């Protein structure tokens, strides 16, 4: 399995809907973490565009994108932009 960096970008106007769907989003990610698919994730904490970084294990970028379509944030159209890029881990797991 390869590692993929998945980035989410949000727009501020979706914050109320993201708050509403956050429990489902967290549960979706928790399940991926518990089965070893999600290696790590978290929101960006700078003053730039709100978003998040997720490191996902998968066969290829298409499979990871398909998997991440199950995230309630994606299913409800709350992600302004999503990228999926193969990431070569040198140090760490």
């Amino acid at each position: 399995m390869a590692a993929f960096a998945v980035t989410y970008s949000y727009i501020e106007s979706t914050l109320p809907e993201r708050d509403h769907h956050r429990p489902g989003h967290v549960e979706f990610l928790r399940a991926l973490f518990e089965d070893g698919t999600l290696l790590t994730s978290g929101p960006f904490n700078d003053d730039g565009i709100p978003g998040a970084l997720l490191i996902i294990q998968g066969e290829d970028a298409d499979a990871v994108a398909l998997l991440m379509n199950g995230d309630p944030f994606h299913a409800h159209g709350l992600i302004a932009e999503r990228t999926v890029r193969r990431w070569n881990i040198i140090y760490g797991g």
Side-chain angles (χ1 to χ4, degrees):
M1 291 251 179
F4 292 84
V6 177
T7 59
Y8 286 178
S9 296
Y10 309 119
I11 55 175
E12 286 298 326
S13 64
T14 64
L15 182 59
E17 279 292 299
R18 282 186 279 132
D19 285 347
H20 176 75
H21 292 286
R22 193 170 316 281
H25 166 75
V26 169
E27 186 53 39
F28 173 80
L29 295 179
R30 183 186 334 270
L32 293 180
F33 182 76
E34 288 175 354
D35 77 11
T37 302
L38 173 65
L39 300 178
T40 192
S41 70
F44 293 118
N45 287 326
D46 58 16
D47 291 332
I49 297 168
L53 171 65
L54 307 93
I55 306 300
I56 306 286
Q57 291 193 92
E59 292 298 322
D60 57 40
D62 290 337
V64 170
L66 185 62
L67 173 70
M68 298 312 293
N69 286 349
D71 185 340
F73 278 8
H74 177 81
H76 292 281
L78 303 175
I79 301 169
E81 181 180 5
R82 180 180 75 187
T83 65
V84 178
R85 297 177 62 191
R86 186 166 176 163
W87 188 49
N88 294 323
I89 299 173
I90 303 300
Y91 299 106

